[in-house]
Amino acid sequence: LLLLIVIVYMLLFEVLIFFILAIYVNVNDRAYQILQEHNVNPWFWAIFQTVSAFNNCGLSLFEDNLISFQEDRFILLFLTILIVTGNTIYPIILRAFIYLLSKLPVSIRYKKAFRRLLYKSKHYYK
């Protein structure tokens, strides 16, 4: 159950922000022009940056990293959200996600599992 919750957590953030970034760089003229100057497909750039930011890799497709986008607050905001949710506040958001799932009307079996994950979580991360 924990594995499924973690996979959903990761996919939720990565897929959602991937589509937001991909649509934005295709619609925003300045961002699209920067990608065309570097000869990079906007969809590929969006998936690469999303995975790189969520996993806190620090990789980019450009030699100047994200300096080309230093004035683009939208891109920097969403990449910052990915960096923080993928690493720093992962445990907090994961516990909140499990808590919300425990409040859903599900079977007693799942409620017990959610309760166990909330109150004995260190047992699962040994």
Side-chain angles (χ1 to χ4, degrees):
L1 184 64
L2 181 60
L3 178 63
L4 180 65
I5 292 171
V6 170
I7 289 171
V8 168
Y9 168 83
M10 290 174 57
L11 288 177
L12 179 75
F13 277 100
E14 289 189 71
V15 170
L16 179 68
I17 295 185
F18 158 69
F19 278 114
I20 290 171
L21 284 177
I23 291 169
Y24 177 77
V25 295
N26 277 299
V27 172
N28 184 289
D29 292 333
R30 180 161 156 52
Y32 188 78
Q33 180 184 0
I34 291 170
L35 294 176
Q36 292 305 313
E37 288 172 3
H38 288 89
N39 198 23
V40 175
N41 182 319
W43 292 92
F44 180 74
W45 178 86
I47 190 72
F48 186 89
Q49 284 304 138
T50 300
V51 172
S52 176
F54 189 80
N55 294 307
N56 208 9
C57 294
L59 301 175
S60 179
L61 295 173
F62 308 146
E63 26 179 84
D64 66 350
N65 208 347
L66 290 174
I67 298 296
S68 303
F69 295 106
Q70 68 184 351
E71 307 266 329
D72 199 329
R73 293 180 180 167
F74 187 85
I75 290 176
L76 296 178
L77 173 70
F78 279 96
L79 290 177
T80 302
I81 289 170
L82 279 173
I83 291 167
V84 172
T85 56
N87 189 6
T88 310
I89 61 172
Y90 160 75
I92 298 167
I93 293 177
L94 185 62
R95 285 185 64 85
F97 194 59
I98 293 170
Y99 176 78
L100 291 175
L101 287 174
S102 73
K103 296 301 178 185
L104 292 176
V106 292
S107 72
I108 279 293
R109 179 176 154 223
Y110 287 118
K111 284 207 180 274
K112 286 181 181 178
F114 291 140
R115 204 171 308 124
R116 207 172 329 119
L117 283 172
L118 283 173
Y119 298 112
K120 297 184 180 188
S121 59
K122 290 184 181 180
H123 174 75
Y124 296 101
Y125 282 105
K126 285 185 179 179

